[in-house]
Amino acid sequence: MAITKLTSNQLYRKCDTSKFGFKTTAELEERLSALGQDRAISAVELGIHIKSRGYNLFCLGPEGTGKTSLVKRILEKEAQNRPTPNDWAYVYNFEESYKPIAISFPAGQASNFAKDVDELINRLSTVLPALIETEEYKAAVAIVRQKYKSKKDEYISILQKKAKGKRVSLLHMQMGLVVAPMKDGEVLSPDAFDELPDDEKNLIMEDLNAMQEEIENATQDLPRWEDKQKKEIDALREKMVKAAVKDPIDALRQKYKPYASATKFLKSVQKHILENVDEFVPEEKEKVITAGTDEDPLQNLLSKMKQPEDDKFDRLKVNVIVKNAPNSGAPIVTLDHPTQGNLVGKVERIQQYGALLTDFTLIKAGALHRANGGFLLLDARKVLEQPFAWDSLKRAISSKQIKIEAPSEETSFTTISLDPEPIPLDVKVVLTGDFEIYELLCERDPDFRDFFKVEADFGMIMDRTDYNECEYAKLIGSLSKKKGLRSLNRQAVARVIEYAARLAGNAGKLTAHISSIGDLLRESDYWARKSNAKQIGKNHIEQAIEAQIYRADRVKKSMLEEIQKGTILIDVKGERVGQINGLVVYDFSNYSFGKPSRITAQVRMGSGDFVDIEREIELSGPIHTKGVLILKSLIANRFAKHSPLSLSASIVFEQSYGGVDGDSASSTEYYCLISAITGLPIKQNFGVTGSINQFGEIQPIGGVNEKIEGFYDVCMHEGLTGKQGVIIPRTNIDDLMLRSDIVQAVEDGKFTIYAIDTVDDGIEILTGKKVGKADAKGNYPKGSVNYLVKQSLQEFYEDYRKYACETCGKI
């Protein structure tokens, strides 16, 4: 058992500026590597160098530790030594139009190929339509038509000879040759024919029928002549088109001969043009318009509904979705909004007249496409928040290919869907997130550990050694340079390091939460600028810290006012039985502060029940309940080994209207119960914290600095007497980084901080009496605190036994 009265030197560990060999941070070299993250760096390097399946990384740690920027720096260094991945493009599939074909090229070549194809399209779009306007083409077509016109004229001449000497005439009508009755060299009208005698009409009808039969026999050859004429003209056009496209396409095929997929596509382009000559070189046709109208309205509407592929040359284009600069190394892609489409790519659509239309030129690359052959950084929480994104990512990693998937949501529009050819995937995925997300994925997703085998754990604190302090100074200098801030002098750097120790919650540690340090530097630079200082000094750091506290301590100030007014009942003077000042921490998102809370206890005869009122009304958490049960076990083990614990006790945090958790008040509750059992008053000028085990040993707690400062602030408002102080676990001494006013008050003897090892140490301080140590028979010295506890419990036992006997007798 030992009680230590702490000195001012034990309350705050100053940073010795004599170890710094610089006047300002402007003299320091830039520190690029993270400080205190050796374990995480080792894991990252392992993950990026193992190419086996599943060796992707999950970097876990709180936001603000700089894990993403650190990983990027490591990846950038590695990416420089890796080959630049291929470009990728999609082209039209002439055999299955809904399945665009993926083509790969060496870095930088896909854009060149697309440019060359565009130039080919521009050339063909000019040359092909002009073919039918050339004199060569017109002359050749005229020869073919003249040939078949001659045959037609010969056929008509033969028929006319056969009609000669008969009572019929051959008439050339738009529909073809027509036989009409004739008399005296003139064609008869229907009325005139009807007035002829029957005999004459019969003779004419015989001539008509005979001539009609001749015409029908001869006209069987006409369709064949027309087909032959059309085929000859088509063959002529195809020959000229073939000659027009052969040289430019052959030149491109030769240029891109090393790329089999590209030359295959060019061959398909040539074949498609030759098989669809009418589409590329249409025959001129007379436009027929219905009398009284300009155009058919329905036809006009349909002509306006132009789908993306309706342009005959659009199908020949090349859609480059990934292009890399030659010799640029492996890509590093960060995706801030990881929707399914942004991750694995998407096929965009154009809405026209109630329908969603698409084609291969509307295929857009996703982050996996751009990161292929390199590294992809994702925020795990953001991925999980997006529908279908996580499953799509896992499928891509598992199958080692990127398959563009349509969104699963139903739409109210008619859509034209595509199924682009999947692209092979070779990427290292790096997820970042906090510990909760990592554990959630481990527990809920059985595939997670198979896909992300490497865990890079970024810690929040590092050891505060002389070496690390000097390296931390370099880090501070690097941050100020990176953010364009003023340089810091040595005293300012020392104060920032002390602030980092306070954030770490331990005088022997430094925080690795770089974001908080960066915020402090920016705000300190503001105060330096406001005072027209050229450098950031210690006073500017102090101003920034005080301003941070001032912005966030409204609730704390309100509570202090309530204590002053007596609305919140707290005694920091005098003595009370069954009442003690516990210390609690209010933890908000950006600020934590401590405050004393009155704890009271009542005891009475009973059967060993300990009523935790907080638990009964469901305001306490499981850890607090555990502390109360340990407290009960300690009392029973010490004072009721050979007889029942014949009392009932109730414990409560007075004026507590929110949840209570943690076991840091278990020693406080013990002292309060001992006071209630013995009737010994407890000094109210002390605030107490510390958890206990079943042997009565005091264990460390969290938030020790906030708790001490919270009690000190109340004492300051009520008036310091020189007798007030705080009792803390000895194991928390190394955590102390208290405010300067408290350190000064302790040095001046106005405030006291005690460190203890056991509950017996605390009892002696709070009651001013000896606790008493049990002898071999388990008896305590008369008049000691433990003696009074055992005596009171014995009296409770006797009263309980007497009550039980009386009750049994009445029954």
Side-chain angles (χ1 to χ4, degrees), residues 353-488:
Y353 303 96
L356 293 178
L357 310 178
T358 188
D359 65 29
F360 76 98
T361 64
L362 295 176
I363 298 174
K364 304 300 179 184
L368 283 171
H369 293 95
R370 298 192 300 275
N372 202 3
F375 307 94
L376 175 61
L377 275 76
L378 297 169
D379 185 314
R381 186 181 297 276
K382 291 180 180 179
V383 175
L384 294 174
E385 287 174 350
Q386 297 298 328
F388 317 112
W390 177 247
D391 288 336
S392 294
L393 176 63
K394 290 198 301 180
R395 279 195 293 272
I397 295 174
S398 176
S399 63
K400 292 187 176 182
Q401 62 180 13
I402 312 168
K403 181 175 175 59
I404 296 178
E405 303 169 350
S408 300
E409 293 87 358
E410 294 291 334
T411 66
S412 59
F413 298 101
T414 303
T415 62
I416 300 174
S417 62
L418 294 180
D419 183 19
E421 180 183 2
I423 290 176
L425 177 64
D426 177 20
V427 69
K428 186 71 69 174
V429 180
V430 181
L431 289 181
T432 61
D434 55 31
F435 181 77
E436 288 76 15
I437 290 292
Y438 181 76
E439 287 299 310
L440 174 68
L441 289 169
C442 288
E443 293 174 5
R444 300 297 179 88
D445 191 338
D447 301 324
F448 173 68
R449 295 303 297 269
D450 292 333
F451 295 142
F452 294 89
K453 295 179 180 291
V454 182
E455 167 194 346
D457 190 357
F458 286 77
M460 276 290 290
I461 58 175
M462 66 191 79
D463 292 334
R464 185 182 174 183
T465 63
D466 287 345
Y467 172 80
N468 279 351
E469 284 189 344
C470 292
E471 292 299 308
Y472 213 88
K474 294 179 183 178
L475 177 63
I476 293 169
S478 299
L479 287 174
S480 63
K481 291 176 184 177
K482 182 179 179 181
K483 301 177 187 301
L485 308 177
R486 290 166 174 76
S487 59
L488 289 76

Side-chain angles (χ1 to χ4, degrees), residues 520 539 541-553:
L520 178 64
N539 59 318
I541 303 294
E542 295 285 3
Q543 281 180 290
I545 294 173
E546 290 171 4
Q548 286 180 348
I549 295 173
Y550 177 74
R551 293 195 301 269
D553 71 348

Side-chain angles (χ1 to χ4, degrees), residues 330-343:
I332 301 172
V333 177
T334 302
L335 185 60
D336 293 326
H337 186 48
T339 62
Q340 183 189 38
N342 290 344
L343 191 60

